[in-house]
Amino acid sequence: MKLICNMVMGSVVASLSEGMAMAEKVGLDLEDVAEVLSLGSLRCPTIIHKSQGKPCWHDSSCKNMKGKETK
């Protein structure tokens, strides 16, 4: 079950990355895109945090996990 959840989450993050790259390429304000995504039917913590450039609570790239900087 966890493997399936991780696979779906990876697909969501990859799609978000592609969408934000496309938005940037066509000249849209990324903050506006993030706001629209966070208010629509895609509203979930991962979309909200990742679209705003913030790490999710489970993201291993977070530099403030337990007071240590991770690599």
Side-chain angles (χ1 to χ4, degrees):
M1 184 63 87
K2 183 174 179 170
L3 180 62
I4 293 167
C5 289
N6 287 345
M7 181 191 71
V8 171
M9 183 67 66
S11 298
V12 167
V13 173
S15 296
L16 175 63
S17 176
E18 292 288 330
M20 295 299 273
M22 183 184 295
E24 185 176 39
K25 188 166 186 143
V26 299
L28 295 175
D29 181 40
L30 296 182
E31 289 182 15
D32 290 343
V33 174
E35 183 178 357
V36 168
L37 290 173
S38 70
L39 295 174
S41 61
L42 296 174
R43 181 170 171 63
C44 74
T46 301
I47 293 290
I48 293 168
H49 293 293
K50 292 290 187 180
S51 67
Q52 296 172 354
K54 300 175 185 175
C56 291
W57 63 271
H58 60 276
D59 190 340
S60 62
S61 68
C62 182
K63 294 182 179 177
N64 200 15
M65 291 178 74
K66 299 181 182 178
K68 296 180 183 178
E69 187 168 321
T70 59
K71 295 181 183 179

